[in-house]
Amino acid sequence: MKGDRTRAAILERAVDIASLEGLEGLTIGRLADDLGMSKSGLFAHFGSKEELQLAALETAKERFIDNVVRPAIKAERGYPRLIGFCRGWLDYVTEQVFPGGCFFAAASFEFDGRPGPVRDAVAGAMDDWMATLEKAVRMAQEAGHLDPGIEPAQLAFEMNSIFFGANFACQLRGDRKAVSRAWTALLQRLEGLRTKPTSSPRARPARRGTRPAPRRARPASGTRRRS
Amino acid sequence: MKGDRTRAAILERAVDIASLEGLEGLTIGRLADDLGMSKSGLFAHFGSKEELQLAALETAKERFIDNVVRPAIKAERGYPRLIGFCRGWLDYVTEQVFPGGCFFAAASFEFDGRPGPVRDAVAGAMDDWMATLEKAVRMAQEAGHLDPGIEPAQLAFEMNSIFFGANFACQLRGDRKAVSRAWTALLQRLEGLRTKPTSSPRARPARRGTRPAPRRARPASGTRRRS
DNA sequence: CCTACCGATCGGTAGG
DNA sequence: CCTACCGATCGGTAGG
């Protein structure tokens, strides 16, 4: 009970630090100091640094799902949900769900050259994410909203590239237009692949919308900080 | 003389390690061991770890310019040079010019949450790179090859996003289609922005080419490894 | 460029 | 969850 709450508080802090300083740069001593507990007391919850890193990854996945995936899948299948993933992801960097930007972008580039279980877990998390995007593309095709000729993995690659590119422009370059550039790129591509409704026999309506209105700000995800 | 050669050898090794394990994960002791010299002997060349990191960044910039920028600017200004930058960058990851993938992508995501002189230098290097891409776009517009309506910074953002996305797919996910997906995305976007030649009064020729033929492999950049 | 050393911190352990 | 400790390694220094 108590132990579980402590463990959860440790991990919430751990992912925040890791998003700023890296999952390898995360040290047990620093984390313990930060939480006002002894190093060995904290250590006892995990047994090794590697287990701490793997547990932090799980915690980051939950935070990501709560802040990106769940909001996105509230939109109906097809084109709206595809836009929902874009909005979910771009809101997620804007709102600094992780203080150092996307935890997974950072971890992906940090571990791509370091073999081991942590790298494998990071790669697995990204496989899941890419599969989620691909599935959303496939559903949009099945709903007749999107050009059936585009390969889902191709479009998922492009969407994720723009997401990571927005994170880069935002976090390193401090480009305040980063998110708007990402929207421009995503909509240019997605609108170009959108199939025009054939049900209406009348002349094509003008393409719908230009940039989706920003969703009302989510309240910084309620359960996110406890420590 | 001798000292300069030693210093250069240290730095070539340093950027290789940093591309794999990060610029912060690079340690003086490990680097010295690796080169068969004493820690303090190596240290004397730089005076601090930070100076070593900054020097490694300069070395990485040179390697990047030799392998990406110089080949690209051999192509004539305008659309061909834009394609040259794409080919240069994608060849650069394919050929593993840095063993851990793009040094600058890794450094960008590693340092975006760590304030200090190294972060500033990484950001400066990326500013230079983005400015180089923007200039290439602007020249393509001035040459009448590219839609004058596209903002150079927007297109540079999109191109760089695809580059980083290819590095991610290639290095972390081991996706062997990464480079081909990147080509597909880049050409889809660039061809769409290409202005059709107006000089010929005849019907539009079919869009030229689909995917540029791979350039003959460059001989892994000659002066790259010495130690 | 070396040997020899510094205090601080690393991940991890013993024992309670 | 703690104190007290381990060997190894960190960045860095003294002196040659």
Side-chain angles (χ1 to χ4, degrees):
Chain A
M1 292 277 103
K2 173 87 178 308
D4 285 359
R5 253 184 298 122
T6 302
R7 189 186 144 101
I10 292 169
L11 289 171
E12 292 297 326
R13 190 88 192 96
V15 299
D16 283 348
I17 294 176
S19 81
L20 287 161
E21 307 185 2
L23 206 40
E24 195 64 38
L26 182 68
T27 70
I28 295 165
R30 150 102 206 258
L31 184 54
D33 258 26
D34 225 84
L35 291 159
M37 64 190 294
S38 73
K39 218 177 67 168
S40 64
L42 188 152
F43 187 83
H45 282 277
F46 305 98
S48 73
K49 181 176 183 179
E50 189 172 284
E51 287 301 324
L52 167 63
Q53 292 173 314
L54 294 170
L57 228 168
E58 287 304 309
T59 301
K61 273 159 74 171
E62 286 166 25
R63 200 189 282 185
F64 182 85
I65 288 169
D66 286 346
N67 282 276
V68 179
V69 180
R70 284 197 215 290
I73 62 180
K74 282 181 189 161
E76 52 175 322
R77 289 164 186 248
Y79 198 83
R81 188 171 295 178
L82 228 37
I83 295 294
F85 273 106
C86 297
R87 177 159 41 217
W89 210 95
L90 294 175
D91 282 358
Y92 151 82
V93 300
T94 303
E95 290 167 14
Q96 306 235 73
V97 167
F98 295 102
C102 179
F103 178 97
F104 296 95
S108 291
F109 284 89
E110 183 179 8
F111 279 90
D112 66 3
R114 299 174 173 256
V118 179
R119 180 221 154 92
D120 296 344
V122 172
M126 291 310 301
D127 286 345
D128 291 347
W129 165 240
M130 296 301 284
T132 300
L133 283 180
E134 287 170 32
K135 186 175 162 196
V137 172
R138 217 172 298 113
M139 289 191 316
Q141 290 174 319
E142 285 162 5
H145 297 177
L146 209 73
D147 180 354
I150 182 80
E151 197 189 344
Q154 174 70 31
L155 188 54
F157 167 87
E158 295 182 25
M159 291 174 67
N160 189 67
S161 295
I162 298 297
F163 295 159
F164 279 13
N167 188 79
F168 159 74
C170 198
Q171 296 291 325
L172 183 72
R173 308 192 72 218
D175 182 355
R176 280 173 319 179
K177 293 186 182 168
V179 167
S180 113
R181 291 203 195 293
W183 267 123
T184 299
L186 290 163
L187 290 174
Q188 186 274 337
R189 184 55 161 148
L190 292 176
E191 286 290 322
L193 289 168
R194 197 173 181 178
T195 50
K196 308 307 171 294
T198 55
S199 52
S200 162
R202 302 202 290 154
R204 288 189 180 90
R207 280 184 176 176
R208 289 231 314 267
T210 51
R211 180 163 304 167
R215 191 172 25 167
R216 66 222 165 275
R218 262 176 282 118
S221 105
T223 60
R224 197 160 90 230
R225 190 65 73 82
R226 179 119 343 157
S227 91
Chain B
M1 292 276 102
K2 173 88 179 307
D4 286 359
R5 254 184 296 121
T6 303
R7 190 186 143 100
I10 293 169
L11 288 171
E12 293 296 327
R13 190 89 191 95
V15 299
D16 282 348
I17 294 176
S19 81
L20 287 161
E21 307 187 0
L23 206 38
E24 195 65 37
L26 182 68
T27 71
I28 296 167
R30 149 104 206 256
L31 184 54
D33 258 26
D34 225 85
L35 291 158
M37 63 189 294
S38 73
K39 219 177 65 169
S40 65
L42 187 151
F43 187 84
H45 282 278
F46 305 99
S48 73
K49 181 176 182 178
E50 189 172 285
E51 287 301 322
L52 168 63
Q53 292 173 314
L54 294 170
L57 229 168
E58 288 304 308
T59 301
K61 272 157 74 171
E62 285 165 26
R63 201 188 282 185
F64 182 84
I65 289 169
D66 286 346
N67 283 278
V68 179
V69 180
R70 283 197 215 293
I73 62 180
K74 282 181 187 158
E76 52 176 323
R77 289 163 186 247
Y79 197 83
R81 188 170 296 177
L82 228 38
I83 295 293
F85 274 106
C86 297
R87 177 160 41 216
W89 210 94
L90 295 175
D91 282 357
Y92 151 83
V93 300
T94 304
E95 290 167 14
Q96 306 236 75
V97 166
F98 295 103
C102 179
F103 178 98
F104 295 96
S108 291
F109 284 89
E110 184 179 7
F111 279 90
D112 65 4
R114 299 175 173 256
V118 179
R119 182 222 153 92
D120 296 344
V122 172
M126 291 311 299
D127 287 345
D128 291 348
W129 165 241
M130 295 303 283
T132 300
L133 283 181
E134 288 170 30
K135 187 175 162 197
V137 172
R138 216 174 297 114
M139 289 191 317
Q141 291 173 318
E142 285 160 7
H145 296 176
L146 210 72
D147 181 353
I150 182 80
E151 196 189 345
Q154 173 71 32
L155 189 54
F157 167 88
E158 295 182 25
M159 290 172 68
N160 189 69
S161 295
I162 299 297
F163 295 158
F164 279 12
N167 188 80
F168 158 74
C170 200
Q171 298 291 326
L172 183 71
R173 307 192 72 218
D175 181 355
R176 281 172 318 178
K177 293 186 182 169
V179 168
S180 113
R181 291 202 196 293
W183 266 123
T184 299
L186 291 163
L187 289 174
Q188 185 274 335
R189 183 56 160 147
L190 292 175
E191 287 289 324
L193 289 168
R194 197 173 183 178
T195 51
K196 309 307 172 292
T198 56
S199 52
S200 162
R202 302 203 292 155
R204 288 190 181 90
R207 281 185 178 177
R208 291 229 315 267
T210 51
R211 181 164 303 167
R215 191 172 24 169
R216 65 225 165 273
R218 263 174 282 119
S221 102
T223 60
R224 199 161 88 229
R225 192 63 76 82
R226 177 120 344 157
S227 88

